[in-house]
Amino acid sequence: MKAIWKGSIGFGLVNIPVKLFSAVQNSNLDFDMLDEKDHSRIKFKRINEQTRKEVPFDKIVKGYLLNEKYVILDDEDFQDASPEKTKMIELENFVDINEINPIYYETSYYTQPETQGKKAYALLVKALVKSQKAGVARFVLRSTENLCVIHPMGDVLVITKIRFPEEIRSTEDINVPSISTITKKELDVGLALIKQYTAEFNIESFHDEYSRELLKIIKTKAKGKRATVKKLKPREELSDDLYGQLMRSLDKKKGA
């Protein structure tokens, strides 16, 4: 893996030099866009909207539109905005990770300590495991300030980016029914159904089945054949009899 960021984690007065590596990868199939006529690949170019000519990547700069004029920024400008945060992930406080709503989570990165930071790194991992806490911090990655939580996964410190509150849209325009319409007997059966389906979370039991089935179709088509399509399992039509549907769901689970 290639490091995407180098800097330090600040833990009080302790400085832990680390490298960041992407912890996730896409499980989707990689499709190319092709011309329908001859199946040639479609390529996108960076075009100057005035001259209509292609611009080399090393000749592209970043600009911010201010008062109808662009202000051009270079790498030093981004670093000068917050020199500490471009090189330091400063732990601000520690929280119970269960207090963070999953809607705030974005993506995760593995951290690896430099040689001189291994002892402090191990200490932070062990302290987080023992306290069952996660650290909250901010740092700059790719010219953007990121809020994150630092939490252990085995012996590895993981940095998971989380969204700022202003990035979460309000729910006020979402039209939902009142929970007061649910009767006690409907709620009791709903709770019983949840209890029947309750199990320990095991991520290994979940896989990208859609991509797997799609790959089978691709391989079958490559042989000039048509894949056997699975029939859609019929589901019960929408009904006003919520209680009846819940009871039948309980019976179905019992018979499974």
Side-chain angles (χ1 to χ4, degrees):
M1 293 190 289
K2 184 178 180 181
I4 61 170
W5 187 91
K6 290 183 180 181
S8 298
I9 295 175
F11 179 33
L13 296 178
V14 178
N15 188 54
I16 311 172
V18 295
K19 297 177 183 178
L20 258 59
F21 301 87
S22 179
V24 297
Q25 59 187 7
N26 201 329
S27 66
N28 297 334
L29 299 181
D30 187 18
F31 291 98
D32 290 326
M33 297 183 68
L34 308 175
D35 189 321
E36 183 183 28
K37 295 179 180 178
D38 61 2
H39 295 175
S40 295
R41 290 177 62 183
I42 303 298
K43 291 194 174 183
F44 295 92
K45 296 182 178 181
R46 302 173 183 87
I47 303 296
N48 182 313
E49 67 175 11
Q50 299 296 329
T51 65
R52 310 308 299 170
K53 293 182 179 179
E54 186 176 0
V55 181
F57 186 79
D58 61 356
K59 296 298 181 182
I60 295 175
V61 296
K62 292 182 179 179
Y64 183 84
L65 187 62
L66 183 66
N67 298 327
E68 299 184 0
K69 288 186 178 180
Y70 278 107
V71 179
I72 306 304
L73 299 174
D74 55 31
D75 291 341
E76 289 185 3
D77 293 319
F78 290 109
Q79 291 184 14
D80 290 345
S82 184
E84 299 88 1
K85 291 176 183 174
T86 58
K87 292 297 180 182
M88 178 69 71
I89 303 172
E90 189 71 47
L91 282 161
E92 298 183 15
N93 52 42
F94 294 89
V95 300
D96 183 342
I97 200 166
N98 294 324
E99 295 177 356
I100 304 172
N101 192 310
I103 197 172
Y104 289 101
Y105 288 121
E106 284 195 72
T107 190
S108 296
Y109 303 93
Y110 294 141
T111 66
Q112 175 181 295
E114 302 286 9
T115 303
Q116 63 269 38
K118 288 185 176 181
K119 182 78 172 181
Y121 183 97
L123 167 65
L124 183 54
V125 171
K126 193 168 185 176
L128 289 175
V129 171
K130 185 72 174 178
S131 65
Q132 297 185 330
K133 299 292 183 181
V136 179
R138 279 180 279 191
F139 72 110
V140 172
L141 176 66
R142 300 189 181 101
S143 308
T144 303
E145 183 172 32
N146 299 278
L147 189 62
C148 68
V149 289
I150 301 178
H151 52 102
M153 191 174 82
D155 293 336
V156 178
L157 280 180
V158 178
I159 290 179
T160 297
K161 285 168 53 179
I162 58 176
R163 297 177 176 89
F164 288 101
E166 57 265 32
E167 296 179 86
I168 306 299
R169 290 180 172 178
S170 169
T171 60
E172 62 182 4
D173 293 328
I174 306 299
N175 186 17
V176 295
S178 172
I179 61 175
S180 63
T181 60
I182 301 301
T183 66
K184 183 181 183 304
K185 72 173 187 177
E186 289 169 341
L187 178 59
D188 288 343
V189 181
L191 291 171
L193 189 58
I194 288 176
K195 185 176 181 180
Q196 276 199 347
Y197 278 87
T198 297
E200 288 188 9
F201 180 66
N202 177 18
I203 192 65
E204 296 299 330
S205 65
F206 298 92
H207 300 280
D208 186 353
E209 295 177 359
Y210 178 79
S211 292
R212 187 181 300 172
E213 292 299 321
L214 191 55
L215 185 57
K216 288 181 182 178
I217 290 175
I218 292 170
K219 290 180 176 180
T220 302
K221 288 196 75 172
K223 297 176 182 177
K225 300 177 182 179
R226 184 69 182 175
T228 303
V229 179
K230 291 183 178 180
K231 290 185 178 181
L232 187 65
K233 294 180 180 179
R235 294 185 69 91
E236 191 168 311
E237 294 294 326
L238 288 174
S239 169
D240 291 333
D241 183 16
L242 177 60
Y243 181 76
Q245 288 180 322
L246 288 168
M247 289 300 295
R248 287 192 291 277
S249 298
L250 276 173
D251 293 338
K252 180 181 178 183
K253 181 63 176 176
K254 287 177 182 177

